[in-house]
Amino acid sequence: MAQTEPNLDHDVSWFLLPSYWAKMVVALISFLCFANSYDGDFVFDDSEAIINNKDLRAETPLGDLWHHDFWGSKLSSNTSHKSYRPLTVLTFRINYLFAGGFYPVGFHVINIILHCTISVLMVDVFSILLGGLQFSNKGRRLNLAPKTSLLAALLFAVHPVHTECVAGIVGRADLLCALFFLLSFLGYCKAFRESNKEGHNFSMFWVLVSVILGAIAMLCKEQGITILGLNAVFDALVINKLNVLELIQKLLHKDKSLENAGLLRKGLLFRITLLMSGGASILYIRWRIMGTGPPAFTEVDNPASFADSLFVRAINYNYYYSLNAWLLLCPWWLCFDWSMGCIPLIKSVSDWRIIALVALWFCLIGLICQALCSEDSHKRRILTLGLGFLIIPFLPASNLFFRVGFVIAERVIYLPSIGYCVLFTYGFSLLSKQAKKKVPSKQSVKLMMKLLGILLINVMRCALRSSQWRSEEQLFRSALSVCPLNAKVHYNVGKNLADKGNQSAAIKYYREAVRLNPKYVHAMNNLGNILKERNELQEAEELLSLAVQIQPDFAAAWMNLGIVQNSLRRFEEAEQSYWTAIKHRKKYPDCYYNLGRLYADLNRHIDALNAWRNATVLKPEHTLAWNNMIILLDNTGNLAQAEAVGREALELIPNDHSLMFSLANVLGKSQKYKESEALFLKAIKANPNAASYHGNLAVLYHRWGNLDLAKKHYEVSLKLDPMAPGTKENYNLLRRKLEQLQKKGSP
């Protein structure tokens, strides 16, 4: 390999450590940044991607992972998110199986380990990007920039924008993608280990390995495919020392000496063809697997992409880019979600925010000019690679090729931050060089202290942000100050409060979500549900009616509207609402359950039983539907049928105490006292504080003639619930009977 240009380490005042110790320091510091997230909960998207994802469970065939999206839906479905990440889902499944359930600690620990591993690999990657690629006579790669590569790796390891990827379990996709992305790059570099001075020799094996690792990266997350383009850029700039400006000039002037410009030297054209062919094949296979067109996102997910004006779309896309750049420069305002009004659209050039995108392009054009036109080849290479690693991995999230389902997502900056760290380190080296010219020792120490201060602040910010990701309450509330105009933030705070039983506070946040986004049907549905439970039926009906008017296929809102109409005794309208919900969601067991309750209220017993049976067919563990069938059959005197249904239910859900209780009642009426007693006792063992369980067991003993046991369980029942209906009367009857027996037995 030809000698590389002088590296940056000569100008930088920084710690010089052996490679092993440098990697140990990076690993330790990256661990300290995010260690406090290890025992966090499942938060935000974790619920859908992990807890509700059937692909994690052992009963789901492994082959289904290759036909489902990241969230467990079929890729062929029109409602699929089309995010194809089977290898990431496979690691979730392994986590689930080893933990024996949904215990978040194992998931978090793997994420932390992955980030530490990636940060360690960054030492090698940055040594190549900043110092060039050179091997010793024994084929060992030389680190020509040990100080600056350590600095850049530390900047990467402690960047707070990475918190979402590390502390949020769903960020596993970005971490795995980054891991194989870097391995692909390092593998490509190994292809030139045996290269001679002219660089004609290279290892086809390692080039193919690099393509395969790029494909694996894409199977973890879509961004992974971009490494093939970056490998091509690296090959041209570092291996072939291509001068891009010179090449462009020769192309414009139709110069026949293109070979001297480096395009055809050293097999570059062949390797680029190989990389591009591999990339095209991977994309084609990905397209075939996807089956249908791109995912259907809504306006609230990415409002700029729905703007009619091309000018408005372009201006806002560029504004989003500037905000992403700002998050890299100043990662203080971090938010789990940037949609739903968090960033209002720019609709005219008079909007002061235009300054941000002007500043972005001013900086980018300046860097590009330096990268192309500088006479210093070392400077050209570093700036071009830095810009390449900053921009190319970001392209899939840029809205340039297809619409994405977000405005800003901190997780997609994980890979582009590599380019940012290269540019930051290069800028620091220039400042160090200037400082040495003034008062060398004093200025260099000041500059190094400032840099240490930045690293320390970032470590503290990472720790703080990681603690916010530990629970949904902290995460959602942290977003209120960053995105107060984001309706989804208020919705999630409200939902979290409602789940904890604080309905009054939840109503406040749901109302604010609806105020900020008058078409937010999910907020309307949840608010309507709470109002329904508080018996504020009129307003609940208005909200749910508006929700289904805005989104006619919103099955959950139709069902809830039916429940409200049922409570208002408008039975025909309620029935129609239930059937509309089922029309839009054919497999809707809860709706069949509520439809059965409506039919039971109308004494349409056969219809009620059929509806509940449908609910149990769709969801065999639907305890309420099973119980209602048993109770209705019991109340209508169909004891044999009630017993059969009860036994069927217990076979499917053997440990459900409420089913044991219902079947025990039926068996008691059928005078199967021994079996009834056994079920009552089993139910009481599972739920010893249920007054009705003791009360009904006492009734069984009363009928059976075991009066002492009946007295004991009546007393337990009354102790648990002194107002238990019928229990006090039965207890008094038993006492009188016992008194009569005592009188008869006395001499």
Side-chain angles (χ1 to χ4, degrees):
M1 176 73 58
Q3 293 293 315
T4 59
E5 303 90 340
N7 59 68
L8 304 182
D9 278 26
H10 300 299
D11 302 322
V12 173
S13 298
W14 190 245
F15 305 102
L16 178 61
L17 297 175
S19 178
Y20 175 80
W21 284 106
K23 291 177 180 180
M24 288 292 290
V25 168
V26 170
L28 178 62
I29 293 178
S30 61
F31 173 77
L32 291 175
C33 285
F34 303 105
N36 63 342
S37 68
Y38 87 97
D39 61 346
D41 299 330
F42 292 112
V43 297
F44 194 40
D45 286 340
D46 295 345
S47 298
E48 289 302 315
I50 297 171
I51 297 174
N52 298 330
N53 191 342
K54 292 181 180 179
D55 287 344
L56 269 65
R57 293 172 172 80
E59 58 267 23
T60 303
L62 271 174
D64 285 4
L65 271 64
W66 302 95
H67 303 287
H68 291 176
D69 66 17
F70 187 54
W71 314 94
S73 301
K74 288 185 178 179
L75 277 167
S76 57
S77 169
N78 290 329
T79 59
S80 169
H81 196 273
K82 308 299 182 186
S83 46
Y84 187 60
R85 302 162 192 173
L87 294 185
T88 303
V89 178
L90 180 61
T91 66
F92 289 154
R93 181 168 173 143
I94 293 169
N95 258 134
Y96 172 78
L97 292 175
F98 272 98
F102 292 113
Y103 303 103
V105 172
F107 290 85
H108 282 295
V109 168
I110 295 297
N111 274 27
I112 295 169
I113 291 172
L114 280 171
H115 177 67
C116 293
T117 304
I118 291 162
S119 299
V120 168
L121 284 175
M122 290 310 308
V123 176
D124 291 329
V125 171
F126 285 129
S127 74
I128 296 169
L129 297 179
L130 296 167
L133 183 64
Q134 185 171 333
F135 293 95
S136 67
N137 293 331
K138 294 182 179 180
R140 184 174 180 179
R141 189 183 58 79
L142 303 175
N143 185 350
L144 301 176
K147 292 195 286 187
T148 47
S149 61
L150 171 59
L151 170 58
L154 286 172
L155 285 167
F156 178 88
V158 305
H159 204 297
V161 83
H162 297 160
T163 311
E164 180 175 350
C165 293
V166 185
I169 298 170
V170 167
R172 174 84 59 85
D174 299 88
L175 297 172
L176 286 170
C177 174
L179 177 64
F180 290 104
F181 181 98
L182 298 179
L183 291 175
S184 174
F185 175 74
L186 293 172
Y188 195 78
C189 292
K190 279 194 173 185
F192 305 98
R193 185 167 48 186
E194 303 297 330
S195 181
N196 58 23
K197 288 186 178 181
E198 286 73 36
H200 289 294
N201 297 331
F202 65 92
S203 168
M204 176 69 75
F205 170 78
W206 281 109
V207 173
L208 293 175
V209 166
S210 174
V211 173
I212 292 168
L213 289 168
I216 294 172
M218 195 188 75
L219 291 174
C220 297
K221 191 172 182 180
E222 295 74 8
Q223 276 178 299
I225 192 68
T226 60
I227 186 56
L228 301 182
L230 280 167
N231 284 342
V233 171
F234 176 80
D235 196 338
L237 296 177
V238 178
I239 306 303
N240 283 265
K241 302 187 183 302
L242 192 68
N243 187 324
V244 179
L245 182 62
E246 180 185 332
L247 176 63
I248 293 171
Q249 289 173 343
K250 289 191 175 186
L251 285 171
L252 290 174
H253 292 90
K254 298 181 180 179
D255 195 324
K256 294 182 179 180
S257 62
L258 282 177
E259 185 175 345
N260 294 330
L263 184 62
L264 301 177
R265 287 182 300 159
K266 308 176 188 177
L268 173 62
L269 194 59
F270 173 75
R271 291 192 297 273
I272 289 180
T273 302
L274 194 62
L275 289 170
M276 295 305 104
S277 299
S281 301
I282 294 165
L283 288 173
Y284 174 74
I285 294 168
R286 168 75 171 81
W287 175 75
R288 288 298 301 267
I289 291 171
M290 192 166 71
T292 59
F297 295 115
T298 61
E299 186 174 353
V300 294
D301 296 320
N302 186 356
S305 66
F306 285 85
D308 295 327
S309 167
L310 178 61
F311 170 78
V312 172
R313 289 202 300 274
I315 288 293
N316 282 280
Y317 288 161
N318 280 276
Y319 181 58
Y320 297 161
Y321 306 156
S322 69
L323 290 176
N324 279 284
W326 182 248
L327 287 177
L328 287 172
L329 288 167
C330 183
W332 200 256
W333 293 276
L334 300 175
C335 185
F336 72 93
D337 188 278
W338 294 83
S339 63
M340 282 206 183
C342 185
I343 304 171
L345 286 179
I346 297 174
K347 296 183 178 178
S348 75
V349 291
S350 60
D351 193 312
W352 67 268
R353 291 176 293 168
I354 291 284
I355 297 169
L357 58 102
V358 170
L360 171 70
W361 279 105
F362 178 80
C363 294
L364 279 178
I365 291 170
L367 287 169
I368 290 168
C369 288
Q370 288 291 309
L372 293 177
C373 304
S374 174
E375 295 181 0
D376 183 349
S377 62
H378 183 54
K379 181 178 183 180
R380 286 200 311 269
R381 176 175 59 77
I382 291 177
L383 289 179
T384 307
L385 288 175
L387 288 168
F389 273 83
L390 178 70
I391 295 169
I392 293 174
F394 184 74
L395 289 176
S398 66
N399 286 291
L400 291 176
F401 305 109
F402 44 81
R403 177 183 290 152
V404 297
F406 52 83
V407 175
I408 292 175
E410 292 158 21
R411 58 189 176 275
V412 303
I413 316 176
Y414 193 84
L415 283 173
S417 66
I418 298 171
Y420 161 77
C421 293
V422 169
L423 296 174
F424 184 100
T425 304
Y426 182 72
F428 179 74
S429 73
L430 295 180
L431 290 175
S432 296
K433 191 173 183 179
Q434 291 299 317
K436 284 184 176 180
K437 289 180 180 178
K438 295 179 182 178
V439 186
S441 60
K442 187 175 181 182
Q443 291 296 327
S444 296
V445 169
K446 279 186 178 180
L447 198 59
M448 190 169 75
M449 293 306 294
K450 288 177 182 178
L451 185 57
L452 284 172
I454 291 172
L455 291 174
L456 180 60
I457 289 170
N458 278 359
V459 170
M460 293 169 64
R461 179 65 177 129
C462 284
L464 173 63
R465 187 63 180 155
S466 291
S467 68
Q468 292 171 343
W469 272 88
R470 284 165 54 84
S471 71
E472 287 194 332
E473 181 180 6
Q474 294 180 76
L475 179 64
F476 297 154
R477 287 191 177 277
S478 71
L480 288 172
S481 59
V482 180
C483 284
L485 300 179
N486 188 336
K488 189 184 280 189
V489 169
H490 292 273
Y491 167 83
N492 279 297
V493 173
K495 187 174 182 298
N496 184 258
L497 288 165
D499 291 343
K500 293 182 175 181
N502 191 348
Q503 291 188 340
S504 299
I507 287 173
K508 170 190 166 187
Y509 286 100
Y510 281 141
R511 289 194 190 282
E512 180 63 9
V514 174
R515 186 190 71 79
L516 290 169
N517 183 0
K519 294 184 179 180
Y520 199 173
V521 292
H522 292 283
M524 293 176 191
N525 179 59
N526 287 17
L527 178 56
N529 265 341
I530 292 179
L531 294 173
K532 172 193 71 182
E533 292 171 12
R534 293 162 70 97
N535 210 33
E536 298 177 33
L537 300 177
Q538 201 63 43
E539 188 181 359
E541 184 183 22
E542 290 172 6
L543 282 164
L544 293 166
S545 297
L546 181 58
V548 297
Q549 183 181 340
I550 294 169
Q551 186 178 326
D553 63 348
F554 192 2
W558 277 113
M559 182 189 75
N560 290 322
L561 179 60
I563 295 171
V564 171
Q565 290 166 335
N566 192 5
S567 300
L568 292 168
R569 306 191 66 77
R570 299 214 304 272
F571 300 121
E572 288 185 11
E573 292 177 48
E575 183 180 9
Q576 185 60 43
S577 294
Y578 287 141
W579 282 115
T580 306
I582 292 167
K583 171 185 155 188
H584 293 300
R585 190 193 296 177
K586 292 183 171 39
K587 296 181 179 180
Y588 204 173
D590 288 342
C591 195
Y592 276 112
Y593 166 74
N594 284 299
L595 180 62
R597 289 184 59 190
L598 168 67
Y599 289 146
D601 290 342
L602 296 172
N603 292 320
R604 292 166 58 179
H605 296 155
I606 301 298
D607 289 334
L609 289 170
N610 286 335
W612 288 328
R613 176 57 74 177
N614 283 334
T616 59
V617 167
L618 293 170
K619 186 179 177 183
E621 67 275 15
H622 204 304
T623 304
L624 291 173
W626 284 115
N627 263 319
N628 279 18
M629 277 196 283
I630 297 166
I631 292 166
L632 179 59
L633 291 166
D634 182 0
N635 291 341
T636 53
N638 296 304
L639 296 180
Q641 197 175 349
E643 181 181 338
V645 170
R647 292 187 188 280
E648 182 185 355
L650 274 177
E651 281 184 15
L652 292 166
I653 321 169
N655 297 318
D656 191 284
H657 55 81
S658 65
L659 289 174
M660 297 173 196
F661 173 70
S662 297
L663 180 56
N665 286 325
V666 173
L667 293 170
K669 290 180 183 179
S670 302
Q671 297 185 347
K672 297 180 180 180
Y673 297 134
K674 197 69 181 172
E675 196 174 357
S676 176
E677 177 195 27
L679 279 173
F680 272 130
L681 291 173
K682 198 173 177 182
I684 288 170
K685 185 179 179 181
N687 188 16
N689 295 321
S692 59
Y693 290 12
H694 290 278
N696 284 27
L697 177 58
V699 171
L700 175 73
Y701 284 137
H702 200 154
R703 287 178 184 165
W704 200 358
N706 294 338
L707 302 185
D708 290 334
L709 286 173
K711 180 173 181 291
K712 171 190 170 184
H713 284 281
Y714 276 137
E715 288 171 351
V716 173
S717 177
L718 288 169
K719 184 179 179 181
L720 291 168
D721 182 8
M723 306 302 292
T727 304
K728 196 167 187 179
E729 292 79 1
N730 289 335
Y731 180 57
N732 289 333
L733 286 172
L734 177 63
R735 285 182 62 188
R736 285 197 292 271
K737 187 172 183 179
L738 287 171
E739 287 171 2
Q740 289 171 2
L741 289 173
Q742 285 177 355
K743 286 178 182 178
K744 286 180 182 179
S746 59

